Amino acid sequence: MNRTEFFVALWNQYIQVTPQADSIHALFNERGEDVINDHVAFRTFDIKGFDLDRATELLATIGYEAFDSYTFPDKHLRAKAYRVPDDSNAPKIFFSELIRSELGEEAQAIINKVTRGLEGELTLSDLTGRYPFHKPTFDEYQSLANASEYAGWLSTMGYQANHFTVNVNALQTLESVEEVIELLLEHQYQLNEVGGRIKGTPADLLVQASTIADQMTFEFSDGAVSDIPSCFYEFAHRFNESNGQLFQGFVPNNANAIFESTDRR
Ligand code: NI
């Protein structure tokens, strides 16, 4: 799978569970916009063969190199940012992992149960949509999500793009995240309000917003059926660093709030 095929497969899987992304994309297209993807994000557990180290190896096979790393202490996460050094048009990748040892015993036991028998290593094709876990019961899911919304999400959604991101700099008819938000609100899309609709300022070099994740029906291992959060769409406007280069990294404070786009409602 080359880089182009990877992103086509990712998008096709993503819009299956995130119909709002497809319709927002169409809304931009109707305005004559050619939507450019700033980045996609993935989530995983810190399990050997499925962790950030494995992600780094996998992403290298399609030209990506890690260029920054981040920690999110209150969410028990660490993350790395990846880009293609010789192709500034390639979407960046933000890959995070849950640090299991920072969770309580009960949550760790549920993760152990959900991931038991996980064999081999994560593959590129897994990232385009695979659920390799054992489904939790509804009670296990609630308990796990109470300890970590991220873990609850991952235990039900498995591997796929958690979000795509519209590159606001590349839009012709909208000049800012504020204008994008105005358009989305006119069309009744729900936005992540954590810390305010707009995350970051031009001084942070990255201004972002995101929708609230779509919902999908999930059947738990005990037969319980409930709606769960799937994935969301993000919007990113980047600003120049003091050296005149467009900032390519991520801002932990923004990302910390954006993670909550998949919290249960
Ligand atoms: Ni993002």
Side-chain angles (χ1 to χ4, degrees):
M1 192 161 22
N2 66 30
R3 196 154 69 228
T4 305
E5 292 163 344
F6 177 68
F7 280 98
V8 168
L10 266 186
W11 175 260
N12 289 338
Q13 157 64 26
Y14 168 70
I15 59 174
Q16 294 294 315
V17 296
T18 325
Q20 62 172 326
D22 204 17
S23 63
I24 292 170
H25 193 270
L27 181 62
F28 285 121
N29 287 161
E30 282 160 22
R31 300 171 62 91
E33 296 286 2
D34 189 11
V35 177
I36 306 292
N37 178 26
D38 179 84
H39 68 271
V40 295
F42 296 100
R43 297 177 172 185
T44 194
F45 295 115
D46 63 346
I47 294 174
K48 193 168 165 32
F50 294 81
D51 55 5
L52 275 187
D53 288 342
R54 177 58 183 160
T56 301
E57 287 175 1
L58 275 182
L59 298 179
T61 66
I62 49 170
Y64 281 88
E65 277 180 17
F67 69 94
D68 209 353
S69 56
Y70 315 91
T71 56
F72 303 92
D74 66 311
K75 295 199 168 55
H76 315 294
L77 303 174
R78 61 170 80 90
K80 285 187 175 179
Y82 301 84
R83 67 180 162 194
V84 178
D86 55 3
D87 183 0
S88 59
N89 294 319
K92 289 165 284 295
I93 293 178
F94 181 89
F95 213 119
S96 58
E97 71 178 5
L98 180 76
I99 305 161
R100 291 171 297 159
S101 62
E102 291 186 7
L103 298 185
E105 266 177 39
E106 190 189 353
Q108 287 194 49
I110 296 167
I111 294 171
N112 287 343
K113 196 177 159 196
V114 164
T115 60
R116 73 186 182 275
L118 202 56
E119 276 182 4
E121 292 181 319
L122 193 63
T123 68
L124 214 49
S125 136
D126 288 343
L127 290 181
T128 65
R130 182 174 170 231
Y131 183 81
F133 307 134
H134 298 277
K135 288 181 171 186
T137 65
F138 184 65
D139 283 351
E140 286 167 345
Y141 167 71
Q142 294 290 358
S143 169
L144 184 56
N146 287 341
S148 159
E149 288 282 352
Y150 180 107
W153 184 90
L154 186 54
S155 77
T156 48
M157 295 301 290
Y159 294 104
Q160 57 195 296
N162 169 265
H163 59 270
F164 272 68
T165 310
V166 173
N167 174 336
V168 174
N169 298 64
L171 297 176
Q172 307 292 319
T173 66
L174 298 162
E175 297 206 329
S176 62
V177 168
E178 286 87 340
E179 290 186 14
V180 170
I181 285 176
E182 207 176 310
L183 176 70
L184 295 174
L185 291 176
E186 266 170 38
H187 290 81
Q188 275 80 50
Y189 290 102
Q190 284 184 284
L191 295 164
N192 172 331
E193 307 271 355
V194 179
R197 281 177 189 147
I198 296 179
K199 325 306 184 202
T201 67
D204 298 318
L205 307 181
L206 178 58
V207 176
Q208 291 165 280
S210 65
T211 63
I212 292 287
D214 272 321
Q215 299 272 309
M216 58 174 268
T217 303
F218 189 85
E219 185 178 354
F220 292 87
S221 66
D222 56 346
V225 173
S226 178
D227 280 353
I228 57 163
S230 58
C231 305
F232 62 92
Y233 214 4
E234 187 184 309
F235 311 90
H237 192 188
R238 296 181 177 278
F239 294 83
N240 281 341
E241 297 185 77
S242 50
N243 62 10
Q245 298 284 99
L246 202 60
F247 175 66
Q248 295 297 324
F250 293 88
V251 174
N253 207 38
N254 296 8
N256 205 47
I258 288 173
F259 276 120
E260 299 184 26
S261 305
T262 58
D263 284 10
R264 292 161 300 163
R265 275 185 271 171

